[in-house]
Amino acid sequence: QVQLAESGGGLVQAGGSLRLSCVASGRIVSIKKMGWYRQAPGKQRELVASVTSGDSTNYADSVKGRFTISRDNAKNTVYLQMNSLKPEDAAVYYCAAGAIATSLTYVEVWGQGTLVTVSS
């Protein structure tokens, strides 16, 4: 019913920047919240940042001051601007959303992930 498509991952040197994008599509009435998670090899998936429909944001302590999450409600898109990247930021980044589908049910969906590699 609802799908997410991420883009923007890649290889960057430490100190560099990347911008991730995630577009939601499908039978959407409204999107309540969107966020980015990441999972590094051998580690659990963790929340990086999230934003609600009212633009309330939340960040992991490890990325505060370096990453910025934003959303374009008209485009059902969420962005993650990542600056001053560190090798420990390397992971697969997943987009997640909580939305009301046209069936008027609340659904939580995940994207397939985009790989971010940071070289030292």
Side-chain angles (χ1 to χ4, degrees):
Q1 293 190 7
V2 179
Q3 299 85 36
L4 301 177
E6 304 116 328
S7 61
L11 172 64
V12 64
Q13 286 188 331
S17 298
L18 282 176
R19 188 193 195 205
L20 306 183
S21 301
C22 172
V23 181
S25 61
R27 301 180 178 180
I28 301 169
V29 173
S30 65
I31 298 177
K32 297 302 182 183
K33 61 180 179 179
M34 299 187 82
W36 291 94
Y37 291 73
R38 67 186 180 188
Q39 187 167 20
K43 295 188 177 181
Q44 289 188 330
R45 190 173 298 189
E46 62 175 356
L47 174 68
V48 176
S50 64
V51 59
T52 68
S53 56
D55 285 333
S56 176
T57 58
N58 183 44
Y59 294 93
D61 288 342
S62 60
V63 306
K64 285 180 180 177
R66 299 187 297 122
F67 291 10
T68 302
I69 190 169
S70 60
R71 61 186 287 176
D72 184 333
N73 292 327
K75 297 181 178 179
N76 287 337
T77 300
V78 65
Y79 305 97
L80 185 68
Q81 178 66 42
M82 305 186 293
N83 298 329
S84 302
L85 282 160
K86 304 175 181 180
E88 51 264 42
D89 293 317
V92 177
Y93 282 70
Y94 296 91
C95 179
I100 304 295
T102 54
S103 59
L104 298 183
T105 57
Y106 180 78
V107 295
E108 293 188 338
V109 292
W110 292 85
Q112 293 194 343
T114 185
L115 179 64
V116 171
T117 305
V118 184
S119 63
S120 57

